[in-house]
Amino acid sequence: MKKKSFKEMPPLQRVFTLVLIGISVGIVTAAERDLQRRPADEVRGEKWLWRLLCLNAVGAVSYFRWGRLQG
């Protein structure tokens, strides 16, 4: 089965894809911004490691779930 290019996708699928990309970028941006502003003693583990993991949405969601210390 050949992969479709973006232009070959039906309009609804294109919209859905763009919405998912927007959500993903928003989550990653929010996680990186939180890491930038949060003191190191309120982060579980090393900030540089969380920054690396937050380069995708799965890592960013993981950071929000397990990376922040509630103090």
Side-chain angles (χ1 to χ4, degrees), residues 3-70:
K3 283 188 175 183
K4 292 181 181 180
S5 71
F6 187 76
K7 290 182 179 182
E8 295 173 337
M9 291 180 186
L12 187 60
Q13 189 175 4
R14 280 191 249 171
V15 169
F16 184 71
T17 301
L18 290 175
V19 167
L20 285 180
I21 290 171
I23 291 170
S24 178
V25 168
I27 291 170
V28 169
T29 302
E32 291 289 345
R33 183 172 291 151
D34 186 80
L35 269 166
Q36 181 179 358
R37 294 177 178 171
R38 187 173 295 271
D41 60 341
E42 293 182 15
V43 176
R44 188 181 318 267
E46 299 289 330
K47 284 179 83 166
W48 68 267
L49 182 58
W50 281 112
R51 284 193 180 280
L52 187 64
L53 290 172
C54 288
L55 292 177
N56 63 53
V58 174
V61 170
S62 298
Y63 166 72
F64 283 126
R65 174 63 179 96
W66 295 290
R68 301 182 301 168
L69 294 174
Q70 302 300 326

